[in-house]
Amino acid sequence: MLFPAVLVLPVIPVAAEEAQPADNRETIVVTGRGLEETPSEPAYDTVTIERKRIMSSASGRVEDVLSTVAGFQQFRRSDSRSSNPSAQGVTLRSLGGNASTRAMVMLDGVPMVDPFFGYVPLPALAPDRLQRITVTRGGGSGPFGAGALAGAIELESADAATLGLVSGSAAVNQRGESELTGNIAPQLGSGFAVLSGRWDRGEGFYTTPQDERVPATARARYDSWSVGGRVVMPLSGDVELQARAMAFDDHRTLRFKGADSTSSGQDASLRIVGRGDWQFDVLGFAQWRDFSNIVVSSTRFVPVLDQRKTPSRGIGGKIEIRPPVGPDHVLRIGADYRRVSGTMYEDAYNAMTGAVTARRHAGGRNSDIGLFVEDAWTLGPVVLTGGLRADRTTISGGHFVERNPAGTVVVSNDFDSRSDWTVTWRAGGVYHASSALALRAAAYSGIRLPTLNELYRPFTVFPITTKANAGLRNEKLVGYEIGIDATPAEGVTLSFTAFDNKVKHAITNVSDPIVPNLRQRQNLPAIKARGVELGAAVVRGPFRFDGSLAWTDAEMVGRGASADLDGKRPAQSPRWAMNGTITYTPAPGWTLAATLRHIGKQYESDLETDVLPAATTVDAFAEMPLVRGFSAFVRGENLLDETVVTRNADGSVDLGTPRTLWIGVRLAH
């Protein structure tokens, strides 16, 4: 079933006189958030993106907002309007190698990673519904759960006070593509609700270079919508209930007419947060997803594979308790659980006759239950933190079946179930040398299960065929880092982090040494990533500068079948990534911003044979107030029309967003 999509319902703080008609009643304040951050958070390499920066993105896409954090990357450079959804895996610190997500992405505490493929439904995460984004680079074992291998990305919904009773926007670009958003955020007694919707559609641009186009070449057409709702109500003076629902549907075309993909989903979650002496956060969620994809021959331009449906499901939850152990300690004790299941159904066709040649289905179940404990201890200017986590991971129900056109089974594989306990940890400390200088250090470990897609689903992106591998092991990261956070002058903040991360049993696509254009997902001995991350923010009157830079020396460790990969960079992993944004706010309601972004050279494949050249782009945003809560805005993507190569598979090239100009109007009332 398909519902409209994203559901982000914020909450509004309520003044005591509004929430309490009688003076003798206790004050009730609802927030719509989880428990407060602990004093240990500054021990880790954390970046926070506030709403003003979220709302001034040139593309209006959440992936564009996240790319202002150097080190963030998707598997491909394309945004979610012009790529296959299954390529929307995100990671940090160049710990890539395939399209699966290695960073935990959460919306109001709920994991957003697709149960089957491991990608993130980026079109469903509308920036205008968000209050802030917190990105923690580096593995986190503690309360983030399994999957936070390269770090965590926490998306927090805007509350009703931020959104206003009615808000929204409408925009159009020079190609006639449109973007429409809307939010209604009424007060419900002492609580609040937010109803949201977004619709994006357009014919798109040509991702195929002009000299490679044929009559069957198509623009990257897209049509996606999302709707959602969130309700926050007090249960008592210090306990609140948060309910959220979301639905989305997304259609895209890539390269050729008929090469269509769809992704859809529905989410529901319930959360109870207590802020009394015994603090607690109890969360439960369920997710339903589906995906389809048609592969078109690049020589005859007819369908050769119809991955007609991939229904999947995820259920889970978390319990966290913070007992009152004294003013110098914040103790967290808890457990979390996630179970995913899914099956892929596809039909293969003869490119010459159009006849069905095979029908296949494959899938299985993965589950993880984790127990964690973590303490933050404040000793004057020093904060120490440490935690342990134990995960019971299970891979079961794996199968792959292929039938011929007559329905006769020609391949039938049932894979053995397996389970294991893994103990991970993280520890760190912050020394506040002065009000202007903090020194930090951290060490951590974490795990990630292989996705059902990696375990059981083979696929072809012409001319490359990649085989699945039901024997894949869990990835495990061990990392260390040191950092400095400084405020050398009023309005100036600087940060520096040096890190050393190593992913054991890293899953990547390994080329066959004998058969051309054939790969298989395999566990490498390791991927190593060492580097530095710099951040700066400078505020001078109406001017503000935000910048970040990441330099990462990532390499694979190969042996045996992967020996040819030893010392090479993981696929799609740049050495350099940097960006800077200058914002000018001359008067209330006015915003002028420009962003310069650079991404270094990458390689398409594990063998470093196909290059994606470095690219530098310039974006711009401007907004001016009109009347009665309305404002007008213009946005410019890739203003210099830089050629951004997003895919280069043996000379078959795709391109990223060309120069795109938007004009629109906003309402905040």
Side-chain angles (χ1 to χ4, degrees), residues 326-522:
D328 297 332
H329 289 268
V330 177
L331 178 63
R332 311 171 72 176
I333 302 170
D336 53 57
Y337 174 75
R338 192 182 191 206
R339 180 182 185 272
V340 300
S341 59
T343 306
M344 171 273 294
Y345 299 89
E346 68 178 23
D347 300 330
Y349 298 90
N350 184 297
M352 301 296 293
T353 66
V356 173
T357 59
R359 301 187 188 277
R360 311 181 187 102
H361 69 267
R365 298 183 300 275
N366 286 358
S367 66
D368 171 80
I369 183 168
L371 309 173
F372 66 85
V373 58
E374 185 170 79
D375 185 41
W377 186 14
T378 302
L379 296 167
V382 177
V383 178
L384 301 176
T385 181
L388 288 174
R389 179 180 174 89
D391 285 274
R392 172 71 169 181
T393 58
T394 301
I395 297 174
S396 61
H399 61 275
F400 179 90
V401 177
E402 180 173 325
R403 291 179 169 85
N404 64 20
T408 303
V409 174
V410 294
V411 178
S412 180
N413 294 323
D414 291 313
F415 304 107
D416 292 339
S417 299
R418 47 203 166 99
S419 58
D420 195 13
W421 278 100
T422 304
V423 175
T424 53
W425 47 268
R426 69 175 187 168
V430 183
Y431 171 52
H432 297 279
S434 69
S435 60
L437 180 65
L439 309 176
R440 51 184 165 81
Y444 38 76
S445 64
I447 63 170
R448 182 184 77 89
L449 279 75
T451 64
L452 300 176
N453 179 53
E454 292 169 317
L455 290 164
Y456 308 122
R457 173 186 169 255
F459 70 96
T460 298
V461 178
F462 185 85
I464 309 292
T465 296
T466 303
K467 298 193 298 183
N469 184 351
L472 292 171
R473 302 173 61 182
N474 293 348
E475 297 180 332
K476 183 173 182 179
L477 175 138
V478 177
Y480 312 89
E481 62 187 55
I482 58 172
I484 301 172
D485 297 310
T487 307
E490 184 178 357
V492 179
T493 58
L494 305 172
S495 68
F496 167 86
T497 302
F499 64 88
D500 187 338
N501 289 180
K502 180 179 180 179
V503 182
K504 300 178 182 178
H505 317 305
I507 299 171
T508 192
N509 301 327
V510 178
S511 296
D512 190 295
I514 300 176
V515 181
N517 295 327
L518 179 64
R519 300 175 185 168
Q520 184 184 36
R521 302 183 182 100
Q522 294 184 17

Side-chain angles (χ1 to χ4, degrees), residues 86-398:
S86 63
Q88 289 173 187
V90 303
T91 191
L92 299 160
R93 292 186 169 171
S94 291
L95 291 173
N98 64 28
S100 295
T101 294
R102 285 183 167 90
M104 175 68 75
V105 180
M106 295 172 285
L107 173 61
D108 297 324
V110 177
M112 286 289 103
V113 178
D114 182 83
F116 189 93
F117 290 92
Y119 67 82
V120 179
L122 296 171
L125 306 176
D128 67 296
R129 301 170 186 154
L130 300 178
Q131 180 75 33
R132 65 177 56 84
I133 302 172
T134 303
V135 180
T136 303
R137 293 176 287 198
S141 59
F144 291 143
L149 199 76
I153 299 172
E154 300 172 85
L155 310 175
E156 181 182 313
S157 296
D159 60 25
T162 299
L163 293 173
L165 178 61
V166 179
S167 61
S169 65
V172 63
N173 68 22
Q174 83 273 21
R175 292 188 295 270
E177 296 157 14
S178 60
E179 170 191 304
L180 183 65
T181 71
N183 305 287
I184 301 174
Q187 180 178 333
L188 302 176
S190 297
F192 303 89
V194 176
L195 300 176
S196 301
R198 175 166 175 151
W199 182 28
D200 298 90
R201 64 182 300 276
E203 291 303 309
F205 57 90
Y206 284 107
T207 60
T208 306
Q210 188 166 1
D211 59 356
E212 295 182 23
R213 295 175 195 168
V214 296
T217 299
R219 294 176 180 267
R221 180 180 59 84
Y222 64 96
D223 191 338
S224 63
W225 57 257
S226 66
V227 296
R230 187 164 177 258
V231 176
V232 179
M233 298 293 293
L235 300 181
S236 69
D238 51 24
V239 179
E240 69 182 53
L241 173 69
Q242 303 171 14
R244 185 175 67 84
M246 171 176 96
F248 65 90
D249 191 49
D250 180 42
H251 295 252
R252 305 182 205 174
T253 299
L254 188 62
R255 286 187 68 86
F256 301 118
K257 297 173 183 177
D260 301 327
S261 64
T262 67
S263 62
S264 61
Q266 303 85 38
D267 285 12
S269 66
L270 196 64
R271 189 180 197 181
I272 301 176
V273 179
R275 297 182 173 85
D277 291 337
W278 282 80
Q279 298 183 30
F280 57 86
D281 188 343
V282 181
L283 170 69
F285 64 88
Q287 299 166 319
W288 298 266
R289 299 281 190 269
D290 202 356
F291 172 85
S292 68
N293 185 56
I294 297 175
V295 178
V296 170
S297 166
S298 61
T299 54
R300 296 189 59 82
F301 313 111
V302 296
V304 292
L305 183 68
D306 181 3
Q307 189 178 348
R308 48 194 171 85
K309 61 179 180 177
T310 313
S312 62
R313 182 183 181 188
I315 59 172
K318 183 189 82 167
I319 299 175
E320 178 180 332
I321 299 174
R322 299 184 185 180
V325 291
D328 297 332
H329 289 268
V330 177
L331 178 63
R332 311 171 72 176
I333 302 170
D336 53 57
Y337 174 75
R338 192 182 191 206
R339 180 182 185 272
V340 300
S341 59
T343 306
M344 171 273 294
Y345 299 89
E346 68 178 23
D347 300 330
Y349 298 90
N350 184 297
M352 301 296 293
T353 66
V356 173
T357 59
R359 301 187 188 277
R360 311 181 187 102
H361 69 267
R365 298 183 300 275
N366 286 358
S367 66
D368 171 80
I369 183 168
L371 309 173
F372 66 85
V373 58
E374 185 170 79
D375 185 41
W377 186 14
T378 302
L379 296 167
V382 177
V383 178
L384 301 176
T385 181
L388 288 174
R389 179 180 174 89
D391 285 274
R392 172 71 169 181
T393 58
T394 301
I395 297 174
S396 61

Side-chain angles (χ1 to χ4, degrees), residues 641-655:
D641 207 22
E642 172 85 336
T643 298
V644 181
V645 178
T646 63
R647 187 183 70 94
N648 180 9
D650 198 24
S652 178
V653 171
D654 282 342
L655 303 177

